[in-house]
Amino acid sequence: MPDAPDTSPDGGIAATSRALAAAGYLADEPASLVSHLAQRLGKPVLVEGPAGVGKTELAKALARATGRDLIRLQCYEGLDEAKALYEWNYRKQLLRIQAESEDHEASGVMDDIFAEEFLLTRPLLEAISSEAPVVLLIDEIDKTDQEFEAMLLEVLSDFQISIPELGVIEARTMPIVLLTSNNSRELTEALKRRCLYLWLDYPDAEREVEIVRLHVPELDEMLANRLVEVVGMVRELDLKKPPSIAESIDWARALLLLGADQIDSEIFRRTMSIIVKHRVDLDLVAERVGMRLAGALPAGGE
Ligand SMILES: Nc1ncnc2c1ncn2[C@@H]1O[C@H](COP(=O)(O)OP(=O)(O)OP(=O)(O)O)[C@@H](O)[C@H]1O
Ligand SMILES: [Mg+2]
């Protein structure tokens, strides 16, 4: 992806979209626009949406498209600064104190052991201090608590990290930052204000066929169309967990392995647990979609 300024704004967005496609990610217009702006404005992007719609993959594809390394911070409940920012390497510090205590004054040693070489860098500090520009993925930020979010604000707005014993470490190069959230809790306004926002949803049928065929190129085009159509029928039902793009891709792979050349009620019954993963959902889907396929109703017919 070109880092040099593009004179035409639309040209820049189209170039971003093409670069993402070349990196294996078919972005729609909003995703291309935000990815483009993130680089131009130097702002983090908060990507929200249901599970399996390509939030994490967008960050990975941006890294591939820009030729940058991807640094990933996987969030979880209880994630703290020591795992996200940095830790002092106590063992190394202790060894240095022992080694130097014989021939140095103690006061001199104390300064030494709080130098950068005694830091164990964790993903956020690694991204900030990297010599080469990187893509920083802060995945599933909604799994952490609000205190962690507050700590992130300094990194996201100033691209710097304060270390009491050492001072402020400023970003040497500007990272592209993506945060993803599954919406399991509302994020703070302070965090949202600092980010560009992208809502990723299930793609339209045409794009989903393209995505499925990109991942499973051997799959017959007619079958890919039918698969996406049936997944669409399943999504229309009121399910605990509707199938995502990830499930469509898995189902395509399974159909290919089984040598299926059409999706009839029999093959659907045998393979539907690949796209529907809750007991209650299975019953509902078998009844509604299974029956519909058994009745050999025309595509999209009632
Ligand atoms: N636009 C796209 N182009 C190509 N592949 C895609 C696209 N969107 C999704 N995928 C594929 O769908 C799968 C699921 O994507 P991903 O893991 O990024 O979802 P997610 O939104 O991060 O899900 P979760 O919320 O469960 O973490 C991946 O295999 C990814 O490659
Ligand atoms: Mg993800």
Side-chain angles (χ1 to χ4, degrees):
M1 201 171 302
D3 269 350
D6 191 306
T7 41
S8 103
D10 282 350
I13 298 163
T16 303
S17 172
R18 279 197 302 277
L20 284 170
Y25 191 90
L26 304 177
D28 57 8
E29 153 73 22
S32 305
L33 175 74
V34 166
S35 304
H36 175 67
L37 289 180
Q39 295 172 76
R40 285 295 134 78
L41 300 175
K43 286 195 89 166
V45 182
L46 171 61
V47 189
E48 284 195 310
V53 291
K55 301 183 294 296
T56 303
E57 189 61 30
L58 176 59
K60 293 184 186 170
L62 263 173
R64 292 195 294 269
T66 52
R68 296 176 177 219
D69 280 344
L70 178 79
I71 295 182
R72 178 173 184 168
L73 174 65
Q74 184 64 49
C75 299
Y76 52 87
E77 209 182 316
L79 175 64
D80 60 9
E81 295 189 9
K83 289 284 170 292
L85 287 173
Y86 66 89
E87 260 180 300
W88 286 109
N89 188 341
Y90 299 121
R91 202 167 153 267
K92 202 170 166 191
Q93 285 178 322
L94 209 65
L95 285 173
R96 172 64 67 89
I97 294 170
Q98 279 172 352
E100 296 205 350
S101 60
E102 286 139 33
D103 30 66
H104 278 287
E105 296 278 311
S107 59
V109 171
M110 287 313 288
D111 285 340
D112 279 345
I113 61 164
F114 287 108
E116 229 170 310
E117 63 172 302
F118 294 99
L119 280 178
L120 289 172
T121 54
R122 303 298 183 210
L124 294 181
L125 181 58
E126 208 178 314
I128 289 285
S129 57
S130 168
E131 298 281 349
V134 298
V135 172
L136 170 63
L137 165 64
I138 303 175
D139 212 14
E140 310 195 356
I141 176 72
D142 51 330
K143 300 259 165 67
T144 64
D145 49 29
Q146 290 202 358
E147 288 75 48
F148 186 84
E149 248 187 87
M151 187 279 296
L152 259 187
L153 296 181
E154 181 187 13
V155 182
L156 297 184
S157 49
D158 303 329
F159 290 102
Q160 64 177 41
I161 291 172
S162 310
I163 301 178
E165 300 88 347
L166 202 63
V168 175
I169 297 191
E170 288 179 2
R172 296 185 184 143
T173 49
M174 195 57 110
I176 299 174
V177 184
L178 264 87
L179 300 97
T180 77
S181 160
N182 271 25
N183 246 334
S184 70
R185 74 171 170 85
E186 187 71 21
L187 300 172
T188 62
E189 285 305 321
L191 181 87
K192 286 190 171 171
R193 203 170 55 239
R194 283 162 177 84
C195 297
L196 300 171
Y197 185 76
L198 175 65
W199 173 262
L200 272 189
D201 214 332
Y202 304 116
D204 59 32
E206 200 184 329
R207 183 173 304 279
E208 189 158 359
V209 170
E210 284 178 40
I211 295 173
V212 167
R213 298 203 72 217
L214 182 76
H215 285 266
V216 194
E218 307 90 337
L219 192 74
D220 174 72
E221 188 175 354
M222 294 282 284
L223 196 59
N225 281 313
R226 183 65 172 151
L227 177 151
V228 167
E229 192 185 352
V230 175
V231 168
M233 289 181 205
V234 176
R235 278 191 200 135
E236 274 171 24
L237 304 174
D238 186 17
L239 300 183
K240 208 170 148 89
K241 166 73 179 71
S244 69
I245 303 175
E247 272 90 28
S248 297
I249 296 170
D250 284 346
W251 198 25
R253 291 205 176 107
L255 292 178
L256 192 70
L257 272 175
L258 295 173
D261 52 10
Q262 58 168 327
I263 302 176
D264 54 22
S265 61
E266 174 60 15
I267 195 91
F268 183 74
R269 188 186 55 74
R270 285 171 60 203
T271 56
M272 69 177 184
S273 59
I274 295 170
I275 54 170
V276 183
K277 293 169 183 168
H278 284 277
R279 186 62 236 250
V280 278
D281 288 352
L282 278 171
D283 291 344
L284 185 68
V285 169
E287 185 191 326
R288 299 285 179 80
V289 180
M291 298 288 268
R292 200 159 149 184
L293 294 173
L297 290 165
E302 279 304 316

